[in-house]
Amino acid sequence: MERITRGLLLLSALVAGLAVLAILGFLVWFSLPLLCGEGLTQVLSWRWRPFQGEFGILPMLVGSLCLSTTSMAVALPMGLGLCCFAHGVGPRKPAALVMGVVRFMTSVPTVVYGFVAVFLLVPLVRAAFVSGSGFSWLAASLTLSLLVLPTVVLMLHAQFELIEPRVRLTTAALGLTRAQAVRYVVLPAAQRGLLAASALGFGRAVGDTLVPLMLAGNAPQVPGSLLDATRTLTAHIALVVATDSQSTAYLSLFACGLILFVTSVAVNLTLRSLNRSDGGRA
Amino acid sequence: MSRSGQTSFIIFCWLSALIPVLCVVALLAFLAARGLPTVSAALFFGDTQPLAALLGRAPVWDGIWPACAGTLSLVILSAALAIPVGVACGIHLAEFATGRSKAALSLGADLLAGVPSIVMGLFGFALILLLRQTLMPDATTCLLLSATCMALLILPYLIKTTQASLEGLPEELRLLGPSLGLTQLQAIRHIQLPAAGKGILGGAVLAIGRAAEDTAVILLTGVVANAGLPRGLLDKYEALPFFIFTTAAEHQTVGELNRGFGAALVLLLLTSGIFLGAHLLHATMQRRWRTSA
């Protein structure tokens, strides 16, 4: 009995790892015909015209990079400012309230962010810049930065909470106010937390599907300006599966999936190495 | 640093805190203003009698009830698949695994947690492609496939919270079992698991919330716009997040759009309620074993 139970526990523990291997296996297996020989040049091209036999995914790759970079460029400084606010710059009660709002934001479904942005933000963008439909890199990027903000903030918050008690007495003895302590002592000491938060937030932004799908306009092109429509790898997968095109189109999806998977693994390994070097120092 | 640098830093922090809060307030106000007037029996059941619709006797055409029922069955099914495995994996990681095997197994859980949900959906889609080419030529995407992929997506939450709850217990509890002459498994069953129950339950609730809101997975694995009530494991079904997504792009009348707002509000209330529950359970757990921190 004892042995059976322990065996079952071990078996369940293996499920997660096996699932990861299975996902990797499937992605590689299905994109293999493309990865060797002529397929590779076909996939790594700048044109997506499935009916003329052109299956380039590079525009989507660039779209993903553009979108997640700009949304992190907004979310990271804002998350940093918000964390400083919560840890000394702001009065205690508003600080607690702001953190409560951030926790609430984690529970808002992605599709609700997308839905509200379609009817609130997109008309604003359209009215402010006159040209175009409003479904653009800009609209998707702003919504996406709101979506990844809690991820960034909670990661930084955890780091700040570790550092603050250690320096509280010292900074108080130096006569620093809480705001000064956060600005000159805690913030510089939280560099690793900042790196971890950017890695995690970036991973979240690259992997999100619904916001770009609903807001970015989905034209398979490299966006020339913030007001242009663009298409991400994630949205591309969703769109092509939905429109049921030919089999080579399907295969190129697995190349997209493989890129996304490798990105998430890279983010994970970055976080691990940050954690490890942090543990070594403490 | 100059005084003006100091001031601009403080202004920057205030702005960074204010802007997201204002965005959230705008989101809630907009959703409430457009969604609240639509919340009624007609939103859920359309013209059908509510009781007949609930019992499945009459089909619902102009309501979100089929989508709600689809989401409910998806959540129940994926939770039933994921919770036993996730909790067992958490127990193994917290109590039995050591050294290298522990590192490898938690790496697996971390990597699974990082997989974007659209890739999980693509995995399910690939599974169907493979089945079609080999054993079952007429396999198609369905409720069971969605639930399986969703279960994989929420598995890491369960593993992490179970492991953290068990590892956060105070040392005395850990010594209690052996001192009473219990075997390790008996001690886990009768001492550690009941003590960590609230934390584990919190993880399960959180996982259920994720299963209710995720859209990308089901997009590729069998959700459709007009399936009616879910009929079986191997059939297509509707879901609330998918309904909201399609309404945004394809609404034709004001009535349809209003139903979308109502559905978005219902989904938001549902998930925030679930997350609040998970948060409260987690907080009780931490307060109870504060000595361990």
Side-chain angles (χ1 to χ4, degrees):
Chain A
M1 187 60 209
E2 174 110 9
R3 198 173 281 176
I4 296 173
T5 317
R6 289 187 70 151
L8 280 178
L9 290 177
L10 177 63
L11 204 64
S12 323
L14 290 173
V15 168
L18 289 180
V20 174
L21 289 180
I23 293 169
L24 179 64
F26 266 94
L27 291 176
V28 170
W29 174 255
F30 276 99
S31 51
L32 212 54
L34 289 179
L35 292 181
C36 43
E38 249 180 46
L40 196 62
T41 51
Q42 208 182 6
V43 171
L44 294 183
S45 88
W46 293 98
R47 273 202 290 272
W48 174 262
R49 286 185 204 137
F51 297 107
Q52 281 125 47
E54 291 179 300
F55 302 103
I57 59 167
L58 285 184
M60 282 55 113
L61 184 62
V62 175
S64 270
L65 281 178
C66 288
L67 196 56
S68 28
T69 313
T70 49
S71 35
M72 280 313 286
V74 175
L76 200 60
M78 197 180 265
L80 203 60
L82 200 153
C83 253
C84 291
F85 181 86
H87 282 266
V89 175
R92 271 173 210 273
K93 280 216 174 125
L97 185 75
V98 167
M99 284 312 290
V101 170
V102 170
R103 291 214 174 82
F104 167 76
M105 285 168 81
T106 59
S107 78
V108 178
T110 326
V111 69
V112 170
Y113 275 122
F115 189 80
V116 171
V118 166
F119 297 104
L120 197 62
L121 180 65
V122 168
L124 274 180
V125 171
R126 200 184 307 151
F129 298 98
V130 187
S131 70
S133 64
F135 290 94
S136 57
W137 180 5
L138 180 68
S141 170
L142 288 176
T143 315
L144 203 52
S145 48
L146 205 58
L147 184 82
V148 297
L149 186 73
T151 313
V152 171
V153 169
L154 293 177
M155 189 83 194
L156 281 172
H157 176 68
Q159 190 80 12
F160 274 30
E161 275 195 325
L162 285 180
I163 299 168
E164 225 184 8
R166 281 194 280 172
V167 300
R168 188 169 295 149
L169 280 180
T170 322
T171 52
L174 288 170
L176 298 180
T177 62
R178 282 186 77 215
Q180 286 167 330
V182 142
R183 169 79 175 78
Y184 296 108
V185 183
V186 178
L187 190 56
Q191 258 179 22
R192 270 168 220 277
L194 196 61
L195 275 175
S198 359
L200 204 62
F202 186 78
R204 185 90 211 276
V206 171
D208 188 77
T209 312
L210 264 292
V211 168
L213 187 60
M214 293 173 89
L215 296 168
N218 293 323
Q221 62 183 16
V222 176
S225 82
L226 274 172
L227 295 174
D228 280 354
T230 185
R231 188 191 279 196
T232 63
L233 290 168
T234 50
H236 184 62
I237 295 177
L239 286 166
V240 174
V241 169
T243 50
D244 222 38
S245 25
Q246 316 142 35
S247 67
T248 326
Y250 275 156
L251 292 182
S252 81
L253 292 189
F254 293 99
C256 297
L258 200 58
I259 296 174
L260 290 170
F261 183 84
V262 169
T263 315
S264 84
V265 170
V267 165
N268 236 303
L269 295 181
T270 316
L271 289 176
R272 289 198 148 232
S273 72
L274 282 172
N275 267 340
R276 199 169 305 130
S277 50
D278 211 28
R281 198 183 51 163
Chain B
M1 175 70 59
S2 65
R3 184 163 293 261
S4 68
Q6 182 85 17
T7 319
S8 50
F9 172 69
I10 288 175
I11 292 174
F12 170 70
C13 290
W14 274 89
L15 281 180
S16 311
L18 272 177
I19 293 172
V21 173
L22 287 180
C23 289
V24 170
V25 169
L27 182 141
L28 288 180
F30 184 65
L31 208 52
R34 300 286 304 262
L36 268 184
T38 68
V39 177
S40 64
L43 170 69
F44 288 92
F45 305 111
D47 302 329
T48 315
Q49 282 294 319
L51 193 65
L54 278 176
L55 295 173
R57 288 209 199 108
V60 174
W61 301 115
D62 292 323
I64 60 171
W65 169 244
C68 292
T71 291
L72 197 67
S73 32
L74 177 71
V75 165
I76 291 174
L77 206 57
S78 50
L81 287 171
I83 289 176
V85 178
V87 170
C89 175
I91 295 174
H92 182 85
L93 279 174
E95 304 288 336
F96 295 107
T98 47
R100 277 206 183 169
S101 80
K102 183 170 180 169
L105 290 173
S106 39
L107 176 68
D110 281 351
L111 290 180
L112 191 64
V115 173
S117 57
I118 190 90
V119 175
M120 206 67 92
L122 193 63
F123 170 65
F125 186 73
L127 211 58
I128 287 296
L129 285 186
L130 186 77
L131 277 180
R132 264 190 213 159
Q133 286 168 11
T134 54
L135 299 169
M136 301 158 62
D138 43 37
T140 140
T141 54
C142 60
L143 182 59
L144 183 64
L145 181 71
S146 291
T148 312
C149 295
M150 194 64 94
L152 285 179
L153 192 77
I154 61 178
L155 195 61
Y157 294 97
L158 291 157
I159 297 174
K160 288 286 150 204
T161 42
T162 307
Q163 189 188 355
S165 303
L166 285 171
E167 285 178 346
L169 292 175
E171 196 59 36
E172 331 52 294
L173 269 185
R174 210 166 288 282
L175 297 174
L176 184 61
S179 75
L180 291 173
L182 300 179
T183 67
Q184 198 179 359
L185 270 179
Q186 285 170 328
I188 291 171
R189 164 73 187 79
H190 296 286
I191 299 171
Q192 271 110 305
L193 272 186
K198 284 245 168 70
I200 297 175
L201 193 61
V205 174
L206 183 73
I208 286 175
R210 281 274 163 252
E213 66 122 5
D214 200 279
T215 324
V217 171
I218 58 177
L219 211 57
L220 304 193
T221 54
V223 77
V224 287
N226 290 305
L229 288 176
R231 283 180 307 272
L233 290 180
L234 298 178
D235 272 313
K236 309 270 189 197
Y237 62 100
E238 293 183 32
L240 209 46
F242 184 73
F243 176 81
I244 298 169
F245 166 65
T246 44
T247 305
E250 290 162 15
H251 68 274
Q252 277 158 4
T253 62
V254 179
E256 278 180 25
L257 181 59
N258 284 340
R259 215 176 302 139
F261 274 104
L265 190 65
V266 168
L267 184 66
L268 180 64
L269 290 177
L270 185 75
T271 53
S272 51
I274 288 175
F275 278 84
L276 185 68
H279 183 70
L280 290 180
L281 282 169
H282 184 72
T284 347
M285 169 86 191
Q286 283 208 318
R287 212 172 311 127
R288 185 162 171 209
W289 304 114
R290 177 143 291 176
T291 44
S292 67

